[in-house]
Amino acid sequence: QLQASGGGLVQAGGSLRLSCAVSGGTVRRYTMGWFRQPPGKEREFVATIRYSGGGTFYAENVKGRFTISRDSAENTVYLQMSSLKPEDTAVYSCAAGGSIILSEIRNPNAYNYWGQGTQVTVSS
């Protein structure tokens, strides 16, 4: 089970940290991803951290501004978001999968488990 939290309203240029608490499994054994769905648009990949080695991957439009990390002791994955822009406004969801191959890490269908979304709104 995945429980996402941390969303809210923030001004452009601000920061937020999203959390995804994992229960019923160990966060290090999953490839964990964050996806988002802007209003009226399709869901899109944001970032992922792989189960093996903890390699991280980002969408081009968040690279350098967002950081995904995991805390094994807390069994939680985080998405630190900085320099937020109005176009980052979306419902953010976390997802978990197994040994997802690199070519599929951006594909939401490759993830087996999903948490509920958390709303992030960035005002201009």
Side-chain angles (χ1 to χ4, degrees), residues 6-18 64-67 79-85 88 92 119-123:
L9 174 64
V10 64
Q11 287 189 331
S15 299
L16 278 176
R17 188 179 76 161
L18 305 183
R65 300 188 298 122
F66 291 9
T67 302
L79 184 69
Q80 177 67 48
M81 306 185 295
S82 302
S83 302
L84 283 161
K85 304 175 181 180
D88 294 318
Y92 286 70
Q119 176 71 46
V120 172
T121 303
V122 184
S123 63

Side-chain angles (χ1 to χ4, degrees), residues 25-88:
T26 303
V27 67
R28 289 181 65 89
R29 293 189 176 185
Y30 294 97
T31 292
M32 301 294 301
W34 283 98
F35 290 79
R36 68 186 183 186
Q37 186 164 18
K41 296 184 179 181
E42 296 291 318
R43 182 164 54 191
E44 62 185 34
F45 168 78
V46 177
T48 196
I49 183 166
R50 297 193 80 203
Y51 77 104
S52 175
T56 57
F57 300 86
Y58 298 91
E60 285 299 317
N61 56 0
V62 306
K63 197 175 292 184
R65 300 188 298 122
F66 291 9
T67 302
I68 188 171
S69 63
R70 66 187 179 197
D71 185 325
S72 297
E74 297 292 329
N75 218 30
T76 299
V77 174
Y78 300 100
L79 184 69
Q80 177 67 48
M81 306 185 295
S82 302
S83 302
L84 283 161
K85 304 175 181 180
E87 51 264 43
D88 294 318

